[in-house]
Amino acid sequence: MATDENETTVNESFAVTIPKAVREHLDLEPGDRLRWHAEDDDGLVAEIVRERHGVASDLDPVDMGETDAVEATDGYDWS
């Protein structure tokens, strides 16, 4: 019985492997997540939730001035 090269089998722990051609086409990387949506009785949609490291690495730090690490702002006397 021939199977489609982009077809996978659900294993006993309900995990699946995303075929290499699909991973490459969608530029999936380790750490990316999939959000699953069921459509009717037999449809399934997976939305990619990107988890890219270094996304904000080109941002400059914000100077917060000199402040205490803990500052009471709710009127409670923390002393």
Side-chain angles (χ1 to χ4, degrees), residues 8-17 36 44:
T8 58
T9 301
V10 177
N11 69 19
E12 290 145 3
S13 64
F14 296 96
V16 296
T17 299
W36 301 94
L44 177 65

Side-chain angles (χ1 to χ4, degrees), residues 2-59:
T3 60
D4 184 339
E5 66 184 32
N6 290 331
E7 181 177 295
T8 58
T9 301
V10 177
N11 69 19
E12 290 145 3
S13 64
F14 296 96
V16 296
T17 299
I18 301 169
K20 181 179 180 180
V22 174
R23 292 190 315 262
E24 289 176 347
H25 177 78
L26 296 173
D27 190 30
L28 291 176
E29 294 182 358
D32 289 342
R33 296 188 326 256
L34 298 177
R35 185 173 296 136
W36 301 94
H37 304 277
E39 292 187 342
D40 300 322
D41 292 332
D42 59 356
L44 177 65
V45 174
E47 175 186 358
I48 301 168
V49 180
R50 304 271 183 204
E51 291 290 329
R52 301 296 165 97
H53 299 284
V55 173
S57 61
D58 60 340
L59 297 176

